[in-house]
Amino acid sequence: MNKFFAILGTISLSMLAAACSDTKTAKETATAETAGVETAAPANTAVAGSETPAGDVTAGKDAAGAGNAAQVEGTKTITLANGASVTWIQDNTGNKLNPRSLFSDASDSLYNSLNMPDGIPASVSTFLVKVDGKFILFDAGLGAFGGQLQKRLAALGVNPDSIGLVYLTHFHADHIAGLVAKDDTGNDTKAFKNAAVYAGKVEYDAWMNDIPKNDLQKNIMALYKDNLHLFAFGDSLPHGVLAMDAIGHTPGHTAFQLANLLVVGDLMHGYALQKDHPEINSNYDMDKPKSAESRKRIMLYASDNKLLMAGMHLPPPGFVE
């Protein structure tokens, strides 16, 4: 187990995680969610609620109950319509620009109209929700590959052991590598010792059985096997979270709705381009037609229901209405 980070370093972010025999299904637990991992596809190829008002921006609101998000670099906190708080946590360092080459679906004239020759502003992000006195983490970020999540949780005054649930949008490494830490002897251990991990069954089955180069994903899923729960699209998960079909980016890519918050995962890698042209995919999208359909459908759903979108690759601060 403790060798998987070294393995990943040689084959980069295209590894995947494996299934475990005693994993619970959504029907067995009534609580479950999706997971994710991101691997680039060659250009132009496919690989295998109710309406509520938008939340008030309260950057100084303390989501953690300990630290002050207004004073923590790379974070921003929003209060939701149901009184829960959600804190955007930037997991990457510095500024992130996704290059023009990532969007081979876009014509030169369309891309040039953005006037962003150096690339489209983006991020690698996670989201921390405090609801019903409990902490939920949506995706776990880059981990040993430059992730800032643990440092920023500490600055917010949040102990990783206090996180009770981790909902995974999909199994790409920049979303799940942060589930693993090193103990005092250098062995791999859970970064969130008390967390139940929720992963979509479609996503889990695809990465465990159909997608190659899945050592990272297999190791992480095995590490959390005693606290792993699988769900189906449409399942209602703990604390009123709804699992929504957002397939295309990966086989089981999932969006999550909580009150007026819609966590959209990797629905968009270039917001400045895709907000007006949802038909444009990134080359990371494994099934481009399905990805475009999901993007159009979910963006319309968010607009019609006045939802606040939180995306793992939206530009800072990770929220759009």
Side-chain angles (χ1 to χ4, degrees):
M1 176 76 69
N2 62 356
K3 296 180 180 179
F4 77 88
F5 277 130
I7 296 171
L8 182 67
T10 65
I11 61 177
S12 83
L13 298 180
S14 60
M15 290 179 157
L16 316 151
C20 37
S21 58
D22 55 349
T23 297
K24 305 169 186 67
T25 66
K27 290 183 180 179
E28 293 170 329
T29 64
T31 64
E33 232 26 28
T34 60
V37 150
E38 183 159 294
T39 132
N44 298 317
T45 61
V47 191
S50 62
E51 187 169 325
T52 55
D56 296 327
V57 175
T58 56
K61 178 80 173 178
D62 181 8
N68 188 338
Q71 299 173 4
V72 176
E73 180 185 4
T75 71
K76 181 176 182 177
T77 298
I78 302 285
T79 300
L80 301 179
N82 66 350
S85 64
V86 55
T87 298
W88 163 71
I89 300 175
Q90 182 174 332
D91 196 44
N92 64 288
T93 57
N95 296 323
K96 180 175 178 58
L97 296 173
N98 278 337
R100 190 268 181 272
S101 59
L102 186 60
F103 306 97
S104 59
D105 286 2
S107 66
D108 287 341
S109 60
L110 175 58
Y111 186 86
N112 292 339
S113 70
L114 301 176
N115 195 27
M116 295 180 175
D118 296 328
I120 300 177
S123 68
V124 178
S125 299
T126 68
F127 294 87
L128 178 71
V129 169
K130 188 175 185 182
V131 59
D132 303 327
K134 306 293 184 181
F135 286 121
I136 300 173
L137 186 65
F138 288 90
D139 285 349
L142 291 157
F145 307 101
Q148 303 299 299
L149 175 60
Q150 292 293 341
K151 180 178 77 172
R152 287 182 171 145
L153 286 176
L156 289 166
V158 177
N159 188 319
D161 293 349
S162 69
I163 303 224
L165 303 168
V166 179
Y167 291 112
L168 300 174
T169 62
H170 63 294
F171 276 19
H172 280 149
D174 55 329
H175 300 259
I176 67 170
L179 287 169
V180 179
K182 295 288 185 182
D183 64 18
D184 293 339
T185 62
N187 292 318
D188 300 319
T189 188
K190 295 178 181 178
F192 306 102
K193 296 178 181 178
N194 299 314
V197 174
Y198 293 84
K201 189 174 188 308
V202 172
E203 181 78 357
Y204 181 89
D205 288 346
W207 288 104
M208 297 311 109
N209 301 313
D210 302 326
I211 302 175
K213 297 182 181 179
N214 57 359
D215 290 2
L216 173 67
Q217 289 70 21
K218 286 183 177 180
N219 283 322
I220 291 176
M221 293 301 107
L223 187 64
Y224 282 87
K225 65 180 180 180
D226 293 334
N227 297 99
L228 180 64
H229 305 267
L230 302 183
F231 70 89
F233 296 131
D235 280 356
S236 181
L237 307 173
H239 304 289
V241 174
L242 175 66
M244 298 176 61
D245 176 346
I247 63 173
H249 176 60
T250 61
H253 186 242
T254 302
F256 300 105
Q257 183 177 354
L258 172 62
N260 58 306
L261 177 72
L262 189 62
V263 179
V264 300
D266 283 13
L267 199 70
M268 288 172 278
H269 289 77
Y271 179 69
L273 172 64
Q274 293 173 299
K275 67 184 177 66
D276 296 320
H277 295 277
E279 75 280 4
I280 301 297
N281 296 284
S282 83
N283 294 335
Y284 288 130
D285 295 329
M286 297 172 74
D287 186 324
K288 287 190 172 185
K290 288 183 179 179
S291 179
E293 187 280 327
S294 290
R295 192 174 305 109
K296 293 173 185 177
R297 170 171 45 84
I298 290 173
M299 290 175 69
L300 180 61
Y301 176 80
S303 176
D304 287 348
N305 292 279
K306 299 180 173 61
L307 302 179
L308 178 71
M309 288 194 294
M312 279 58 183
H313 297 302
L314 292 178
F319 298 108
V320 295
E321 293 186 49

